[in-house]
Amino acid sequence: MSALSALETALENRWEALWARMSGRDPLELVDALRRECDSNAVVCRAGRVMVPNAYDVELSAPVHEELTRRGDSVGQVLTDRLARHAARNGYEWAGPLTVHVRRSAEVPNGRYRVASTVMRHVSAVGFRRAAQPADG
């Protein structure tokens, strides 16, 4: 019983620490996770040119998502700004327009998060205009 009680206490302390960080001014733990995701997927194309994924998905447990969005801040924009500054400091180039999408997920355990990145192809302005025009016939 003693070991189980100690484990329960440790988990509660971890949850409280995460909650304190997540509900503070900046979601620091999420920013760090995004930075790690960006760094671990960096690809050196040639000397001096490092490409990184440009589309990031952040999945949050319901309570964390609710707490972060309740403040009225655009969490996705805050995370995007922080990630953009990180990339600028490291000389990274995005594979296309940078986006960070934050969503609630029932699959993520309470108090946790999941971060993933992909390369989203850039759509040229010409291709975008063609796609917006109605099709003939």
Side-chain angles (χ1 to χ4, degrees):
M1 256 342 222
S2 175
L4 184 58
S5 181
L7 177 61
E8 184 178 38
T9 301
L11 289 173
E12 285 176 4
N13 290 340
R14 181 96 169 121
W15 162 247
E16 289 172 8
L18 174 65
W19 187 258
R21 286 187 209 145
M22 301 291 282
S23 61
R25 180 79 179 125
D26 293 319
L28 297 177
E29 195 163 323
L30 281 178
V31 172
D32 288 341
L34 282 168
R35 288 176 183 154
R36 283 190 305 274
E37 180 71 15
C38 181
D39 293 342
S40 66
N41 289 293
V43 175
V44 178
C45 297
R46 62 175 188 237
R49 186 169 186 205
V50 180
M51 300 293 291
V52 291
N54 63 314
Y56 293 80
D57 290 314
V58 177
E59 297 178 52
L60 302 172
S61 64
V64 174
H65 184 271
E66 184 178 315
E67 179 63 29
L68 287 177
T69 57
R70 181 173 53 110
R71 294 181 292 142
D73 296 341
S74 174
V75 177
Q77 189 60 54
V78 170
L79 295 174
T80 301
D81 293 345
R82 291 295 182 101
L83 191 56
R85 284 197 295 259
H86 173 71
R89 278 193 306 270
N90 289 292
Y92 294 158
E93 293 182 40
W94 303 110
L98 174 61
T99 180
V100 177
H101 182 255
V102 178
R103 69 182 177 94
R104 177 187 321 226
S105 175
E107 297 174 11
V108 177
N110 196 15
R112 303 295 305 166
Y113 56 87
R114 188 178 307 150
V115 175
S117 64
T118 58
V119 173
M120 186 170 59
R121 294 189 315 183
H122 178 69
V123 178
S124 70
V126 172
F128 185 74
R129 282 193 294 269
R130 281 189 202 141
Q133 294 175 351
D136 293 332

